[in-house]
Amino acid sequence: MSIFDQLDMVVERITRTDEEDAKKNKTESNAAITSAKDIDRLILNHSLSATKAAELVGMNRVAFKDYILDAEKRGVIDGVLKTSNQYRYTLRHIHAIMDDLNIPAYKDIHSKTQIIVNQNLKGGTGKSTAGINLSAALALDLRERKRVLIIDLDPQGSQSQFSNINPEEDDNILTAVDLMLGQDEPESLYSEYINAGYSHEDIVRNAMVETHLPNLDVLPAFPTDERFNSAAWMAYAEDYKSTGERVIKHISRLKECVIDVIRDDYDFIIIDTAPQLNPLVWSAQEASNGLLIPCTPHTLDWKATRSLLKMLKDMLQQLPSGGENLEWFKVVGANYDDEHRRDDFTLGLMNNELGSVLLNNQIKRSTAFESAAREKMTVLDIRKSDALCPPKQLEKAVASLKDVSRELDLFLGEYK
């Protein structure tokens, strides 16, 4: 079933519900780790003991110790950390070891890159939280060692905080918009690099910002990225005036100038968008093969999401590709309150109208997500010993996140 068939089915259900509600005349009631030195702490939080590392690669402790001595001599890995009289293996160690042992990674089995646009029209639906935390969950699957990239297309730059970027100090950082508009901006940093002899491909690859996870990168966004929308509309007006053509050509630039360059460098590319409808958002849709819509099961959030779903088919068909690039879409319940069950009624409505489009698992409401956001990290970076939130809240957040990540990954098996 194509994405358009699914959208037709969902919109039909939404419309039918609206009609039934109108007949019945019903109304619904509205219902502290930030400094550079702490990056080492995050790396340590994800490290493994010698016992766990040996189990992961299928060795006993003795064989693993001998292998490590040899791997260090051959330069496969840097020196192993030692803390509290215990050896610790970072994720970078683990990835290098598994590659050296020829243990297959995701890229060795699946050739297709999953490019996912993370979208909703309403702010506060859990979109950005879902984007960064799901990205981390995918990257932390040590067996598959997926290579994950987050492209931030929201000028608010909410995803950039997880890469420890300070836009006021880091003046040599390029955003996706810088890369898309570089050819039109002769005084830009991009043009400086071009004039210095760097190729576009070199510039794009070097624009990716590493995080504390060795296989999770971020292409950040800054408030100045809002200029892309103005540039796109101005170019559209000029084209229409001279040729009568009704195509916003800038919409194809994310795919052509960025995605096509780094597609083979990643297994998952998640594009986070602003809660708006504009050329930047349409660029993300044009470049992706899947659409993920996080929605908090609250009346107003679901109402806004329903509005998006109603217009989505027409919107996609107006893209240069006609929306043919998109193979699937899913809605995921985010910030779901499972303790007081206040969200069950709306979640039931979502399930009735979305059917199989709605993921079975939800990202549950937890103070751990709020604590993680304040500390510029994901819930998967927190350890109970950090005392940033109640242990039960952390357990719930991590478990629900992993359940959603696993379900999404299994679903995408059809498209690999």
Side-chain angles (χ1 to χ4, degrees):
M1 184 182 296
S2 73
I3 186 173
F4 295 131
D5 292 334
Q6 289 180 304
L7 280 169
D8 284 338
M9 184 171 60
V10 168
V11 171
E12 182 181 347
R13 289 173 181 160
I14 290 174
T15 303
R16 187 164 59 244
T17 302
D18 286 340
E19 291 171 351
E20 291 172 355
D21 286 351
K23 288 179 183 178
K24 295 176 184 178
N25 196 27
K26 285 188 174 181
T27 58
E28 292 180 318
S29 59
N30 296 340
I33 299 177
T34 57
S35 64
K37 65 182 177 60
D38 291 315
I39 296 297
D40 293 335
R41 177 66 179 277
L42 295 181
I43 292 172
L44 187 61
N45 278 355
H46 290 293
S47 64
L48 302 183
S49 66
T51 300
K52 291 291 185 182
E55 288 178 1
L56 184 64
V57 299
M59 292 184 184
N60 60 45
R61 283 289 301 274
V62 175
F64 185 70
K65 182 178 180 181
D66 291 340
Y67 166 78
I68 290 299
L69 291 173
D70 178 63
E72 288 181 335
K73 288 180 181 177
R74 291 186 289 117
V76 173
I77 59 173
D78 296 327
V80 179
L81 303 179
K82 191 171 185 180
T83 177
S84 301
N85 206 33
Q86 185 181 43
Y87 288 106
R88 305 293 301 185
Y89 295 83
T90 69
L91 294 182
R92 200 169 295 279
H93 286 136
I94 297 299
H95 285 214
I97 290 168
M98 297 181 81
D99 289 343
D100 185 56
L101 293 172
N102 294 318
I103 298 175
Y106 187 93
K107 63 182 174 61
D108 299 317
I109 302 171
H110 309 290
S111 59
K112 183 175 182 178
T113 301
Q114 293 293 336
I115 306 168
I116 305 169
V117 55
N118 185 33
Q119 179 183 3
N120 204 316
L121 279 181
K122 184 179 181 299
T125 58
K127 177 180 61 62
S128 294
T129 298
I132 185 61
N133 282 278
L134 281 173
S135 297
L138 290 168
L140 283 168
D141 182 343
L142 289 181
R143 288 290 179 187
E144 294 196 319
R145 311 191 298 288
K146 301 180 183 76
R147 302 165 300 168
V148 183
L149 170 67
I150 302 173
I151 296 180
D152 196 351
L153 280 193
D154 185 349
Q156 293 185 53
S158 55
Q159 303 295 357
S160 304
Q161 60 181 320
F162 297 98
S163 56
N164 209 37
I165 292 174
N166 185 339
E168 296 181 359
E169 297 178 1
D170 299 323
D171 56 1
N172 63 338
I173 299 294
L174 291 173
T175 69
V177 168
D178 293 329
L179 299 173
M180 289 190 282
L181 294 181
Q183 58 188 294
D184 304 328
E185 298 178 333
E187 303 301 321
S188 66
L189 178 61
Y190 173 91
S191 292
E192 286 185 30
Y193 287 136
I194 288 291
N195 294 334
Y198 294 97
S199 69
H200 173 75
E201 289 72 20
D202 289 337
I203 297 171
V204 171
R205 287 195 168 90
N206 282 287
M208 308 303 146
V209 179
E210 295 180 349
T211 68
H212 59 285
L213 302 181
N215 54 330
L216 175 60
D217 293 342
V218 175
L219 182 56
F222 294 150
T224 53
D225 290 344
E226 188 64 44
R227 72 189 190 280
F228 180 85
N229 296 314
S230 299
W233 285 121
M234 288 178 64
Y236 168 78
E238 291 175 3
D239 287 342
Y240 179 66
K241 184 177 180 180
S242 60
T243 66
E245 196 174 7
R246 293 180 176 272
V247 178
I248 307 176
K249 295 178 180 178
H250 276 55
I251 290 176
S252 300
R253 288 198 180 184
L254 179 64
K255 177 183 180 299
E256 296 170 354
C257 299
V258 181
I259 298 293
D260 286 350
V261 175
I262 47 86
R263 183 189 303 271
D264 294 338
D265 299 336
Y266 297 95
D267 303 307
F268 283 78
I269 299 174
I270 297 178
I271 309 172
D272 192 47
T273 59
Q276 301 168 3
L277 292 178
N278 57 37
L280 264 180
V281 175
W282 299 329
S283 297
Q285 294 173 335
E286 176 72 3
S288 302
N289 65 282
L291 173 60
L292 183 66
I293 304 176
C295 176
T296 300
H298 293 170
T299 301
L300 292 178
D301 297 77
W302 175 227
K303 183 178 179 180
T305 302
R306 293 168 93 246
S307 297
L308 171 63
L309 292 169
K310 287 179 179 180
M311 67 176 75
L312 194 53
K313 181 177 179 179
D314 287 340
M315 186 192 312
L316 296 178
Q317 290 179 332
Q318 296 302 313
L319 297 174
S321 66
E324 296 298 326
N325 54 300
L326 285 160
E327 301 171 331
W328 60 268
F329 83 105
K330 285 285 185 180
V331 176
V332 57
N335 201 27
Y336 164 63
D337 186 353
D338 68 320
E339 294 182 9
H340 303 97
R341 314 308 294 257
R342 289 176 294 204
D343 297 338
D344 285 4
F345 178 75
T346 304
L347 186 63
L349 293 177
M350 292 169 63
N351 185 57
N352 288 339
E353 295 182 350
L354 293 171
S356 61
V357 170
L358 180 67
L359 290 179
N360 294 316
N361 292 287
Q362 303 87 37
I363 300 176
K364 296 178 180 178
R365 180 181 179 184
S366 168
T367 57
F369 288 109
E370 299 165 12
S371 299
R374 282 196 300 271
E375 302 297 334
K376 300 181 180 179
M377 59 172 67
T378 73
V379 295
L380 298 173
D381 296 317
I382 300 176
R383 295 297 174 265
K384 292 180 181 179
S385 58
D386 295 332
L388 292 176
C389 62
K392 288 187 177 179
Q393 289 290 309
L394 180 58
E395 290 173 3
K396 179 171 71 170
V398 170
S400 69
L401 180 63
K402 287 184 175 180
D403 286 342
V404 170
S405 174
R406 190 178 303 111
E407 182 181 356
L408 183 62
D409 197 20
L410 288 173
F411 163 74
L412 290 177
E414 303 175 24
Y415 300 94
K416 292 174 181 175

